[in-house]
Amino acid sequence: MEIISGYIEHIIYSNKDNGYTVFELTTDTDEITCVGALHAISEGENVKLSGEYVTHPVYGRQFSFSQYEICAAEDESDVLRYLSSGAVKGIGPSLAKKIVDAFGSDTFRVMEEEPEMLSKIKGISLRKAQEIGAYVIERQDVRKVMVFLQKFGISNNLANKIYKKYGNEVYKIMEENPYRLAEDIEGVGFRTADEIAREAGIDRGSVYRVRSGILYTLSLAVSEGNIYVPKEELVDKAAEFLETEREYIDSETDNLGMEKKIVIKKKNDEIRVYHAALYYMEASCARMLLDLDITVDPATDRIRDTVRRLEDPDIPLEDKQIDAITAAASCGVCVITGGPGTGKTTIINVLIEYLKHAGNDFVLAAPTGRAAKRMTEATGYESSTIQRLLGLSPDGIGSGMYSYEYNEDNPLDVDAIIIDEMSMVDLPLFKALLSAIVPGTRLIMVGDTNQLPSVGPGSVLKDIIASECFKVVRLDRIFRQSEASDIIVNAHKINAGTVPALDNKSRDFFMLRRNEVDRILNNIVVLVNEKLPKYVNAKPFDIQVLTPMRKGPLGVENLNPVLQKYINPGSAAKCEKQFGGVLFREGDKVMQIRNNYQLEWEVTGKYGIVADKGTGIFNGDMGIVESIDNLSETMEVIYEENHRVRYPFANLDELELAYAVTIHKSQGSEYPAVVLPLLSGPKQLFNRNLLYTAVTRAKYCVTIVGSEETVISMVKNADEMKRYTSLDEVIKEIALY
């Protein structure tokens, strides 16, 4: 690592969010272009940088630094150069010279300790002098905090977030309870806070550490979809994780409950520990659902007669389909559930015609952009994501908070809302939706309960059905089975626990028996890059590899670099960016891996004119890397509906390559062809539910590559990963009163 010193001659580019800065540094012998993260820095300042020289393919030789130190001005010329740069608000070159002429090398001390002295200079009032002093002190505070936090191994970017949150209170927090960072700062988890606390010398048995560890253990359970955790299980896991006595964990869990940071409830013989917000969210959803469940139109015979007149004579409706439409038209809350090929889309289309005939306003929505696009294609009417329907918007730049335009104070003004792919809707999103609906509006939820549950917490669709408090129509017949694809037929066989035919006599369902990882990888590359695009008339980018796992030789982390190499090979014409363990390249297929309500997107028309814009990119959204700009440290990705998003390099941890994705991440999507590598894996993961979900993602072709024994064992394994949710119980309890 090299060290260079000099003063900042000119700042070429600066990103205020992450501090990334490009500037010209003047040393005693040279002018050097430097790149790295800086905060509270200005032209004219003296700095010492630690890093190394790199050669950029476009901009040439640069000094890339990882650490920096702001040095005090050595003489009056340094002070004058700094003040003349405009670094201090209200001071230009002319005024800077007057100040330095008056106070010389003592200028900075005067600004910090006796700013009123500046008012003696012509052109500076007492008020302006005080403002200058306050500004200088504030910048000094920022610098001191940055230096202080660097001692704990905290990056400049994270240090900036911490300072914005706590200001000068940060010193007390770091001394007493660094675990507050895990609760208050977005992007700081328990493990990061724990490492910082270790550097700060906090005792490993500290009550702050134990409490934070309990909340962290509960948050892990929430990230797996749970609303609560049995107390015994929570205490066991937290004690093992923290390497602390169970009694200590048990006692502090009770204390957190008394402080209302968690909710502890006894149900039968089980003591449950709830994430507080999710506990109240379940209760709120249950109450709002029951309030909506009123008879909107009692004339069911008239509805049935109207539906008969509206149906396509070439595709007559079955009685159960008419039952579903009648229930949706007459009830405040209705669920229509069934697997692929059972007529859900037909029901939605006829229901739309009925609503139009009745003069009712309606909207269509789905949890993801891909699911919404499929709904639009199937119905011919515009569908949007639920978030966009509700008018999602961030509450201030960088706040990490968000709100919806449509809510309890400003409800949606429609007669009916039809939600498709309801199995993907998690509890927080469902609560936001219900908050924007008033009694008298029909809520029609369509979904397949045999799909994997939502990525977020809750089992909303299953719990609503399990409550037995609402009208539910179950579709169990495959229509026109003789014409149905083997994908649909085999999906129903898998769901019923029957092993589908794997003899390769099908036109759209294949099994390539391979037992060696290398052969499986080679077959996947050939299938995706050569065979399947021709077979289903699609591009290699449209063929999706789905795998149960992230890790391992057939997990996404290994599959993606292999597929990238052949589908989007490197070339001199494509810019690249290595971030962490991932190499991003222009033209890559990528996926957003967490909800980001702050990200801004644009839709540009001819000549680059912005036609639409908004905020929010969500977990599972897939796009293509349009460009990588190493000078501005940004990467542009184009998502569905031509939503363009510019990511600062610091945010690239929100993206991953998506040539292969986990089956969980594929929910709500449909691909022309799907390739499933299945060799071996944990029994709790390799189950019927997972295989069913994967198979139903394909439109024209499914190809399984791997072990036939694994496929058979997955079909026979009906054990799903249990989620701890209680929406059904809460609905029943409220319904009794």
Side-chain angles (χ1 to χ4, degrees), residues 319-334:
D319 287 344
K320 190 167 281 191
Q321 290 179 301
I322 293 179
D323 289 343
I325 298 167
T326 303
S330 62
C331 300
V333 175
C334 174

Side-chain angles (χ1 to χ4, degrees), residues 595-629:
N595 290 340
N596 187 328
Y597 304 98
Q598 307 290 323
L599 273 180
E600 298 179 352
W601 53 260
E602 292 181 345
V603 177
T604 54
K606 197 172 183 181
Y607 307 117
I609 297 173
V610 176
D612 192 12
K613 62 182 179 180
T615 57
I617 299 295
F618 305 104
N619 190 357
D621 287 353
M622 296 174 70
I624 301 294
V625 176
E626 175 76 1
S627 64
I628 296 174
D629 189 335

Side-chain angles (χ1 to χ4, degrees), residues 358-374:
N360 295 146
D361 294 327
F362 62 89
V363 290
L364 311 178
T368 67
R370 280 180 168 264
K373 183 179 179 182
R374 287 175 60 196

Side-chain angles (χ1 to χ4, degrees), residues 13-49:
Y13 171 82
S14 180
N15 186 314
K16 292 182 180 180
D17 291 331
N18 59 29
Y20 179 80
T21 309
V22 181
F23 59 90
E24 295 293 338
L25 184 77
T26 298
T27 68
D28 292 338
T29 59
D30 202 359
E31 285 190 0
I32 304 167
T33 300
C34 302
V35 294
L38 286 173
H39 291 279
I41 201 76
S42 302
E43 293 177 353
E45 296 206 62
N46 294 329
V47 292
K48 181 188 291 185
L49 309 174

Side-chain angles (χ1 to χ4, degrees), residues 16-159:
K16 292 182 180 180
D17 291 331
N18 59 29
Y20 179 80
T21 309
V22 181
F23 59 90
E24 295 293 338
L25 184 77
T26 298
T27 68
D28 292 338
T29 59
D30 202 359
E31 285 190 0
I32 304 167
T33 300
C34 302
V35 294
L38 286 173
H39 291 279
I41 201 76
S42 302
E43 293 177 353
E45 296 206 62
N46 294 329
V47 292
K48 181 188 291 185
L49 309 174
S50 301
E52 58 187 14
Y53 285 97
V54 297
T55 301
H56 189 279
V58 176
Y59 304 108
R61 191 167 182 257
Q62 301 174 336
F63 188 79
S64 177
F65 62 91
S66 55
Q67 295 179 324
Y68 71 92
E69 178 184 336
I70 300 172
C71 305
E74 296 181 356
D75 51 38
E76 292 183 16
S77 63
D78 285 348
V79 177
L80 179 61
R81 182 173 58 242
Y82 171 70
L83 293 180
S84 297
S85 70
V88 178
K89 189 176 180 181
I91 299 178
S94 176
L95 198 52
K97 187 173 188 313
K98 291 180 182 179
I99 294 172
V100 175
D101 286 345
F103 301 107
S105 58
D106 202 31
T107 296
F108 285 140
R109 187 199 64 78
V110 169
M111 286 181 164
E112 291 178 29
E113 300 176 10
E114 302 177 273
E116 65 276 1
M117 295 281 289
L118 297 172
S119 64
K120 294 181 179 180
I121 296 173
K122 187 177 181 180
I124 301 180
S125 65
L126 179 60
R127 180 178 175 181
K128 185 173 182 178
Q130 291 170 336
E131 289 175 350
I132 290 171
Y135 182 80
V136 170
I137 290 172
E138 181 184 358
R139 289 179 67 85
Q140 285 293 94
D141 287 344
V142 175
R143 292 174 180 177
K144 288 175 183 176
V145 168
M146 292 294 174
V147 173
F148 172 72
L149 292 176
Q150 283 176 359
K151 296 176 183 178
F152 305 104
I154 297 173
S155 68
N156 290 328
N157 194 31
L158 179 55

Side-chain angles (χ1 to χ4, degrees), residues 466-478:
S467 73
E468 299 181 340
C469 289
F470 306 99
K471 180 64 179 179
V472 177
V473 180
R474 293 176 172 84
L475 307 172
D476 49 20
R477 177 187 169 191
I478 304 177

